[in-house]
Amino acid sequence: MVIGHSKYQESKRIAIFLSMPDEIQTEEIIKDIFKQGKECFIPRYKPHSNHMDMLKLSSAEDISSLPLTSWNIHQPSDDDSVREEALSGGGLDLIFMPGLGFDKKGNRLGRGKGYYDTYLERCVKHPSGKPYTIALAFREQICESVPVAENDVQIDEILYEDC
């Protein structure tokens, strides 16, 4: 479903989250990004803030070498200055986004820190502009409406089973 998506096919620089157990699993998508010769970026969250960067992976296997966070997900360490940050280079074409709940208007309920909303605001200021955003969801996560705040950025598209 994701791999055949036209926006995915067109995109060269893609940011994707490393899944937690209760999220859509992204491992196969990450492998495909490398198989197709695209560039893959993953989040590095700064604790106690809403700041997030998207750092470049060199391969799908690269993930297992990264340290684990308190959420038990791999991410580049704070002092990792070798990896390219997406916005210091060519920006991003596509961001796959996680979330706890979504409505059909494109609103997303995250984990409450605003990492993605803040990052998208930075993307808008980049010369390449705002990337296309696709949320990956389970059918059970699609609601009539989710609470939204002023700085919440709507998602372009939500993909879920049988949608």
Side-chain angles (χ1 to χ4, degrees):
M1 180 163 78
V2 170
I3 290 164
H5 195 288
S6 62
K7 288 285 184 192
Y8 174 77
Q9 290 295 333
E10 292 161 19
S11 296
K12 296 273 177 273
R13 294 168 60 89
I14 299 172
I16 189 164
F17 59 97
L18 301 181
S19 5
M20 293 204 246
D22 61 347
E23 294 172 331
I24 294 280
Q25 297 303 295
T26 56
E27 194 180 343
E28 292 307 313
I29 302 169
I30 292 168
K31 286 180 184 162
D32 191 76
I33 291 172
F34 285 104
K35 195 172 102 192
Q36 296 207 28
K38 300 173 184 289
E39 294 178 85
C40 184
F41 296 82
I42 59 165
R44 176 175 65 190
Y45 305 97
K46 282 228 162 55
H48 317 298
S49 79
N50 63 359
H51 187 86
M52 172 178 80
D53 289 315
M54 290 290 184
L55 299 183
K56 190 173 180 177
L57 281 178
S58 52
S59 68
E61 296 68 42
D62 189 12
I63 295 168
S64 57
S65 71
L66 300 173
L68 282 171
T69 66
S70 56
W71 293 314
N72 214 26
I73 44 177
H74 291 278
Q75 79 169 17
S77 63
D78 284 345
D79 57 2
D80 188 331
S81 56
V82 188
R83 295 172 191 277
E84 177 195 337
E85 203 293 317
L87 297 182
S88 66
L92 289 165
D93 302 317
L94 173 64
I95 300 181
F96 285 111
M97 296 174 63
L100 299 177
F102 308 91
D103 66 27
K104 292 189 170 150
K105 294 195 248 11
N107 294 312
R108 166 185 167 271
L109 183 66
R111 294 186 186 263
K113 295 270 199 234
Y115 287 114
Y116 278 89
D117 300 310
T118 313
Y119 193 77
L120 286 168
E121 281 171 29
R122 285 168 56 206
C123 289
V124 171
K125 297 179 182 123
H126 189 275
S128 67
K130 182 183 170 290
Y132 193 78
T133 52
I134 297 179
L136 300 177
F138 295 108
R139 173 193 290 280
E140 295 75 20
Q141 292 175 290
I142 311 299
C143 316
E144 272 307 302
S145 69
V146 297
V148 282
E150 203 178 307
N151 59 340
D152 288 349
V153 179
Q154 284 191 313
I155 292 166
D156 295 311
E157 192 173 341
I158 299 163
L159 288 182
Y160 57 95
E161 305 145 304
D162 321 319
C163 68

